[in-house]
Amino acid sequence: MSNAEVAVAVAHQFDDAQQQRDAASMGMWLFLATEVLFFGAMFLGYTAYRYAYPAAFAQASRHTLIAFGGTNTAVLLISSTVMAFAVRAAAQKRRKVSALLLLLTASLGLVFLVIKGFEYAREIHEGLLPGAGFHIDTADPAHAEMFFYIYWLMTGVHALHVTIGVLFIMLFAVRTWLWNAFHDRNTAVELLGLYWHFVDIIWVFLFPLIYMVDRHT
């Protein structure tokens, strides 16, 4: 990279490209730390209620649609792998490959959302949306409803994060393909990859907690 290119790539408040890269990485890690605290509070609430009402939560969990959840787990794990290759291609300045891999990652994110949408529709049809129309055939429907309050909250917030990720990945794919926008700034693609991996990891924890509570019994 020429000195002129470096001057363009480095913002005025930074001494050099490495300092800018370190600052951007630190910012993303701090953001992800706040996200961990955000999701951690929900995980803590889930754990407390599950400990208090284990039978009700186990019965409610058996009403979740594990086939949908399992499929979505596979979709996100594949998307995370594709994203890793997209980041690598960006670092190697392979513009078209990176753009195509980003687009594929976004497409898999959309597949996840579509599957989740069908799952939500079926659960609403079965009366598993908490509220006046909630109905479930268990010994403790009140606390089973609490399970589904937490289920809708946690999976809904996660789906929102997936949606945000998909929109940004699609934007990055278009900017990469049309304008080679990240030729000298592949750090942005790396940080987007960190966000996407975080979203995937959250689901990896959500899946067994929501769908597999004492399901063998």
Side-chain angles (χ1 to χ4, degrees), residues 27-28 37 78 80 85 139 153 156 172 179 197 209:
M28 175 55 77
L37 293 174
I78 293 171
S80 193
F85 282 114
L153 173 64
F172 274 48
W179 301 294
H197 295 320
L209 289 177

Side-chain angles (χ1 to χ4, degrees), residues 34-129:
T34 64
E35 289 287 280
V36 168
L37 293 174
F38 178 65
F39 278 99
M42 290 188 282
F43 279 113
L44 181 61
Y46 170 89
T47 302
Y49 275 103
R50 178 179 172 181
Y51 179 79
Y53 309 105
F57 268 49
Q59 292 172 0
S61 177
R62 296 188 193 106
H63 286 75
T64 59
L65 306 173
I66 194 170
F68 285 87
T71 302
N72 263 345
T73 301
V75 168
L76 279 188
L77 289 176
I78 293 171
S79 76
S80 193
T81 303
V82 175
M83 187 66 183
F85 282 114
V87 170
R88 181 182 180 185
Q92 296 173 341
K93 304 188 185 307
R94 299 162 64 194
R95 176 177 63 89
K96 291 186 177 181
V97 174
S98 179
L100 289 173
L101 290 172
L102 286 169
L103 186 60
L104 179 55
T105 303
S107 299
L108 289 168
L110 286 173
V111 170
F112 174 92
L113 292 172
V114 169
I115 293 172
K116 196 65 193 168
F118 279 110
E119 183 181 3
Y120 279 157
R122 183 167 168 182
E123 286 165 343
I124 292 172
H125 177 73
E126 294 178 359
L128 298 178
L129 178 65

Side-chain angles (χ1 to χ4, degrees), residues 13-14 16-32 185-192 194:
Q13 67 267 33
F14 299 106
D16 51 42
Q18 185 60 45
Q19 186 185 59
Q20 178 172 273
R21 178 187 177 90
D22 292 342
S25 298
M26 177 63 72
M28 175 55 77
W29 281 111
L30 287 174
F31 169 73
L32 293 180
R185 295 180 297 159
N186 63 289
T187 300
V189 181
E190 292 181 15
L191 299 182
L192 182 61
L194 278 178

